[in-house]
């Protein structure tokens, strides 16, 4: 089956720093989503981005489907950005396959 | 906004009990999913449903069953709970093949003792 790899696995930042999270996938996909899992376990939708670039405030994402990767950019990070970031891909029939996640810690 | 609601935030059950986890969505979505999340293993798909009374096995269906009698409700059933089913359970829904953006509930942390 399709493999979804995220890097880095862990990231520690000071408030105000910028970061880039990467998601690589091994086969073509219909869609891709980025989620933020907060400390209480809730998965929050960030982007639904099968291709192209989207921006939402301090966050933006780019998916290059032909090269099988997606990037999530976080600018001017805040402590509330802490948590685990997942990308999830849809290879077929509406099912999402999740990557292993990037754990982000932002310190004041 | 899409709302996906899971019936319990925390649940403690005894080994051998029959356990029901309920999930309700309010946006008339066709697809509903159950995942479990474990440290080091990430999120894994247990079952999904693309229509009322329709279901398909995911990657780890053993020990679980599901029920979808109404479009808005998708239930996960542990016929005889075991300690290795202690986990975080996450329900999700999506509109359908025209828009497969998935939305998740708040999760149910199940402990089987």
């Amino acid at each position: 089956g399709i493999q979804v790899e995220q890097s880095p696995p862990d990231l520690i930042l000071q408030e105000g720093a910028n970061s880039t999270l990467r998601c690589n996938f091994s086969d073509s996909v219909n869609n891709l989503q980025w989620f933020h899992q907060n400390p209480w376990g809730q998965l929050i939708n960030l982007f639904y981005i099968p291709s192209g670039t989207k921006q939402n405030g301090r966050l933006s994402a780019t998916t290059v489907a032909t090269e099988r990767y997606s990037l999530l950019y976080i600018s001017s990070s805040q402590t509330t950005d802490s948590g685990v970031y997942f990308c999830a891909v849809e290879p077929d029939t509406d099912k999402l396959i999740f990557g292993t996640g990037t754990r982000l810690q932002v310190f004041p | 906004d899409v709302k996906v609601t899971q019936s319990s935030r925390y649940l403690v059950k005894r080994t051998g009990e029959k356990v029901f986890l309920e999930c309700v969505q309010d946006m008339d979505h066709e697809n509903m999913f159950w995942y479990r999340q474990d440290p080091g293993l990430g999120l894994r798909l247990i079952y999904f449903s693309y229509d009322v009374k329709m279901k398909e096995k995911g990657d780890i269906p053993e020990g679980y069953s599901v029920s979808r009698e109404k479009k808005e409700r998708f239930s996960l059933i542990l016929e005889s709970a075991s300690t290795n089913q202690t986990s975080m359970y996450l329900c999700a829904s999506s509109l359908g093949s025209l828009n497969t953006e998935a939305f998740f509930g708040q999760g149910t942390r199940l402990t089987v003792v």
Side-chain angles (χ1 to χ4, degrees):
Chain A
I2 192 169
Q3 303 298 312
V4 184
E5 294 181 355
Q6 291 185 243
S7 60
D10 294 280
L11 190 56
I12 300 173
L13 298 174
Q14 194 156 24
E15 224 171 8
N18 303 329
S19 61
T20 301
L21 282 58
R22 188 176 180 102
C23 173
N24 291 332
F25 42 98
S26 60
D27 206 344
S28 59
V29 298
N30 294 330
N31 283 307
L32 184 146
Q33 284 188 249
W34 282 97
F35 296 92
H36 174 216
Q37 189 168 40
N38 65 23
W40 298 273
Q42 172 90 51
L43 280 167
I44 309 297
N45 290 43
L46 296 178
F47 294 102
Y48 177 60
I49 184 167
S51 63
T53 296
K54 290 186 177 180
Q55 180 151 10
N56 184 1
R58 296 181 296 104
L59 272 59
S60 64
T62 296
T63 297
V64 184
T66 52
E67 297 186 21
R68 299 181 184 168
Y69 73 89
S70 184
L71 302 173
L72 177 69
Y73 306 96
I74 304 174
S75 64
S76 303
S77 58
Q78 301 176 356
T79 55
T80 51
D81 294 332
S82 297
V84 183
Y85 290 80
F86 289 101
C87 75
V89 302
E90 181 201 326
D92 57 26
T93 61
D94 303 357
K95 291 184 286 186
L96 279 178
I97 306 299
F98 280 78
T100 48
T102 292
R103 182 175 299 276
L104 173 64
Q105 297 178 75
V106 181
F107 291 97
Chain B
D1 279 354
V2 176
K3 191 161 185 184
V4 181
T5 304
Q6 295 182 226
S7 53
S8 304
R9 190 80 178 88
Y10 298 96
L11 210 52
V12 179
K13 294 292 181 181
R14 295 194 181 277
T15 301
E17 275 193 77
K18 189 168 187 176
V19 181
F20 292 87
L21 302 184
E22 306 286 346
C23 177
V24 177
Q25 49 91 7
D26 66 356
M27 284 301 291
D28 202 34
H29 281 180
E30 299 288 337
N31 300 331
M32 295 190 75
F33 308 84
W34 276 105
Y35 289 84
R36 66 176 280 177
Q37 184 178 19
D38 301 287
L41 296 175
L43 279 88
R44 295 176 292 167
L45 182 63
I46 305 171
Y47 267 98
F48 73 102
S49 168
Y50 50 89
D51 201 351
V52 174
K53 297 189 187 294
M54 305 300 285
K55 61 185 179 185
E56 279 197 30
K57 293 180 180 179
D59 299 320
I60 50 164
E62 297 79 18
Y64 303 95
S65 62
V66 290
S67 171
R68 193 164 180 204
E69 296 295 319
K70 293 186 178 181
K71 193 174 187 180
E72 67 269 19
R73 186 180 296 270
F74 192 35
S75 304
L76 180 69
I77 304 157
L78 287 65
E79 295 289 343
S80 177
S82 63
T83 54
N84 63 13
Q85 293 178 309
T86 292
S87 186
M88 174 70 130
Y89 290 88
L90 293 156
C91 173
S93 72
S94 65
L95 180 62
S97 51
L98 293 179
N99 184 337
T100 58
E101 183 176 9
F103 296 87
F104 280 80
Q106 78 275 29
T108 296
R109 195 168 292 279
L110 172 68
T111 302
V112 182
V113 297

